[in-house]
Amino acid sequence: MKETVFTLLFLGSLTAQAQETVSWDFTVEQSEPIVEAPIDVTQESSVVDIVFKGVLMTDRIFIDDLITKLTFKGYNPGEELTRHVKVYLKARWGGSSCVFDGDCTIPSGGSAEAMIPLLELPLSSPCKFDAVLPELRIESSGTAVSQPLIFEQQQDGGALTTLTATAPVKYLSGTVADQDGNPVKDACVCVYAYIETTDTIIYSYSALTDEEGRYTVRVEHGNNTYFLKLSANGYADYLYDYFFRLDENAIIYPLPNTDFVLTNSLDFKADQLSTIILPETPDASWGRYYRPDRISDEGVVIFEREPSPQANVPYVIFPNEDFSISLSGYDMENLPEAGCELLDKDKQFGLHGTYQSRWAHNWYASSPWFCHVLDNTPDCTPHGDGNLPRVGAFRAYLIALSNDPKFEEPNLMFVGERTSVTELQTITSESGMIFDLQGRRLTAAPAKGFYIKNGRKQVVK
């Protein structure tokens, strides 16, 4: 088990380097316990079928890893024995192949408190476990003996088997740059794998960039599912939280083969619709801030203006003038969890914020959903690869946990400070505003092309 480091991170253009392999041992249990020992070598002949637990496939062994040896531990108070053993691997779609056929020496020694390897089977044909429940058949033959022989078993009976596995080692290389294209030195790049159900990191591999922003990181257990994150002082974290894999040919998928950029400042343009979330109270003079308030009967998402913006709350903002926010003054490692504002008790629609540059990943994979990035700034992509939008660090985005068609292209409306007297007048006066696709307000619809009115895309041909 490798040391787990949760300072996770990112990479740019990726290439494979030299091939190496890594081996490791671990003990697994049989899925359905049996009463007798794994192989009763006191008999003239014996046959046992071993079906390993399915968790084997997700915790330690992966489809492209090779099993090179089987080991059964225990103790032998009698004399040394020689047995002939055959091992068959059952294929997923029926049939089996022999992966070991030879004589084995069973040594004398060991005890219940200090078991030793009694039966070691180095496979002549290293095998892959390509089934959810890998199954082995083990046959043993030789002269029957009366001496006792005790094999290690799981608590409720059945085989305990130590597997020796081997897998290719991968090397990933790339570059890290800032918003101006300058290389970032000493950025930490980390590739990691974890079990989502327990949120436990099981493998983590990291490297630092050199003066030219280049790095090479070693990755083992190639067929695992990995995530990636990059951190550097003065920059927002870059998180690739849409899983990717390394296959047996060191091909990475579905990670885009492009260079990535760290964000060190937030740039806002006058009157251009954008989003913002800060761990401190934003300056109210920077522009007009809006928070989602409700959804009308017609399905319009209504944003109310917030005269006193708060910390850790995501907003849509229309800046009064151009301005920038430097991220070098923030303690990136100790920022609070990204804010989240939901519209109703059922949590069907809301404006979320993040302090990391990341894919707007579907955390609710079992639920229908729509995700929308309002920003068209360089660090945001309303529609990313595979229709996964990307949201920049310190930005906000809309998410709807509903399959209602009205959320697929939501109709947005921005209104002024909410009062019972002015609400209807404000909606009427502001609902006709027109913007271009970059969020800039227009005085009239263009003669040709796309524009946005009442939150919906329009086109003039």
Side-chain angles (χ1 to χ4, degrees):
M1 179 68 68
K2 303 296 183 294
E3 181 181 358
T4 57
V5 182
F6 201 78
T7 337
L8 320 170
L9 311 137
F10 158 76
L11 60 98
S13 300
L14 307 171
T15 58
Q17 307 283 328
Q19 278 296 327
E20 300 177 26
T21 59
V22 59
S23 297
W24 67 102
D25 296 335
F26 56 97
T27 301
V28 295
E29 297 181 355
Q30 187 174 351
S31 62
E32 296 181 2
I34 57 176
V35 177
E36 63 269 24
I39 298 179
D40 185 358
V41 298
T42 63
Q43 302 293 319
E44 183 176 350
S45 63
S46 65
V47 177
V48 62
D49 291 316
I50 298 179
V51 181
F52 296 110
K53 288 190 174 180
V55 70
L56 170 72
M57 303 301 290
T58 56
D59 283 353
R60 303 299 299 275
I61 285 290
F62 311 103
I63 293 174
D64 289 322
D65 295 343
L66 294 176
I67 306 301
T68 59
K69 185 170 68 173
L70 307 176
T71 303
F72 296 94
K73 293 183 178 180
Y75 58 95
N76 177 12
E79 298 179 352
E80 180 181 283
L81 297 176
T82 298
R83 302 288 291 182
H84 190 85
V85 178
K86 293 182 180 181
V87 180
Y88 297 89
L89 172 67
K90 184 176 180 180
R92 177 184 297 184
W93 307 116
S96 61
S97 58
C98 183
V99 293
F100 180 85
D101 185 351
D103 291 335
C104 296
T105 299
I106 299 178
S108 175
S111 66
E113 292 74 27
M115 296 188 180
I116 62 173
L118 289 185
L119 194 60
E120 294 187 277
L121 309 174
L123 304 186
S124 55
S125 302
C127 60
K128 295 181 180 181
F129 281 173
D130 62 349
V132 176
L133 294 175
E135 182 175 341
L136 294 175
R137 167 161 288 197
I138 301 177
E139 299 177 357
S140 170
S141 60
T143 303
V145 295
S146 59
Q147 67 184 54
L149 190 69
I150 309 300
F151 280 93
E152 183 181 21
Q153 295 184 334
Q154 58 199 72
Q155 186 173 4
D156 50 357
L160 282 174
T161 311
T162 298
L163 299 182
T164 300
T166 183
V169 173
K170 314 295 182 180
Y171 285 91
L172 306 180
S173 299
T175 61
V176 180
D178 64 17
Q179 290 169 276
D180 298 323
N182 301 313
V184 177
K185 183 178 182 294
D186 292 331
C188 182
V189 178
C190 180
V191 178
Y192 64 100
Y194 76 105
I195 302 174
E196 292 188 74
T197 54
T198 59
D199 198 28
T200 303
I201 296 178
I202 54 176
Y203 303 114
S204 177
Y205 313 91
S206 59
L208 297 177
T209 55
D210 61 16
E211 292 183 351
E212 297 182 1
R214 297 177 303 189
Y215 68 89
T216 298
V217 60
R218 173 189 175 101
V219 182
E220 298 178 3
H221 304 282
N223 194 58
N224 202 359
T225 295
Y226 288 100
F227 300 84
L228 177 148
K229 186 176 176 182
L230 182 145
S231 293
N233 291 333
Y235 298 85
D237 287 348
Y238 188 110
L239 179 63
Y240 190 95
D241 60 348
Y242 188 73
F243 74 84
F244 62 97
R245 293 181 181 272
L246 312 177
D247 72 8
E248 55 195 7
N249 298 314
I251 296 175
I252 303 163
Y253 63 100
L255 188 65
N257 190 24
T258 57
D259 292 323
F260 289 76
V261 176
L262 288 181
T263 302
N264 56 338
S265 66
L266 305 178
D267 300 318
F268 296 90
K269 301 298 181 182
D271 289 326
Q272 181 172 318
L273 180 150
S274 190
T275 58
I276 191 172
I277 176 175
L278 291 174
E280 62 179 352
T281 302
D283 191 329
S285 67
W286 289 344
R288 306 189 307 280
Y289 296 82
Y290 293 87
R291 293 176 62 182
D293 181 74
R294 62 196 184 280
I295 300 177
S296 71
D297 294 338
E298 293 76 25
V300 178
V301 182
I302 299 175
F303 286 74
E304 291 283 354
R305 186 173 177 183
E306 176 65 77
S308 301
Q310 307 169 42
N312 300 313
V313 175
Y315 294 101
V316 172
I317 178 176
F318 292 88
N320 293 329
E321 58 186 27
D322 295 357
F323 71 92
S324 296
I325 301 174
S326 174
L327 302 186
S328 60
Y330 290 108
D331 181 3
M332 298 297 179
E333 292 186 0
N334 296 301
L335 288 180
E337 291 294 328
C340 174
E341 180 68 16
L342 298 168
L343 292 182
D344 56 43
K345 63 181 180 180
D346 295 327
K347 300 183 179 181
Q348 289 300 300
F349 196 94
L351 187 66
H352 294 236
T354 176
Y355 294 122
Q356 297 168 318
S357 178
R358 66 190 304 164
W359 295 102
H361 183 55
N362 179 8
W363 295 280
Y364 309 94
S366 61
S367 304
W369 74 304
F370 298 107
C371 187
H372 310 277
V373 176
L374 302 182
D375 267 302
N376 283 301
T377 47
D379 55 351
C380 292
T381 56
H383 299 288
D385 291 342
N387 294 322
L388 282 173
R390 180 155 201 93
V391 59
F394 290 75
R395 304 287 186 175
Y397 58 99
L398 296 170
I399 187 169
L401 304 182
S402 172
N403 59 357
D404 192 322
K406 68 188 177 192
F407 293 134
E408 188 169 0
E409 293 186 13
N411 189 357
L412 310 180
M413 181 178 295
F414 298 91
V415 302
E417 294 84 351
R418 181 177 181 179
T419 69
S420 58
V421 177
T422 63
E423 180 180 359
L424 291 179
Q425 294 178 341
T426 308
I427 292 177
T428 302
S429 63
E430 294 195 3
S431 62
M433 289 194 302
I434 299 174
F435 300 90
D436 63 16
L437 295 184
Q438 283 70 48
R440 295 183 293 260
R441 185 175 177 181
L442 305 175
T443 58
K448 186 176 182 180
F450 292 94
Y451 66 95
I452 296 175
K453 182 176 181 181
N454 292 337
R456 288 190 177 276
K457 185 185 292 187
Q458 312 287 335
V459 61
V460 179
K461 298 182 179 180

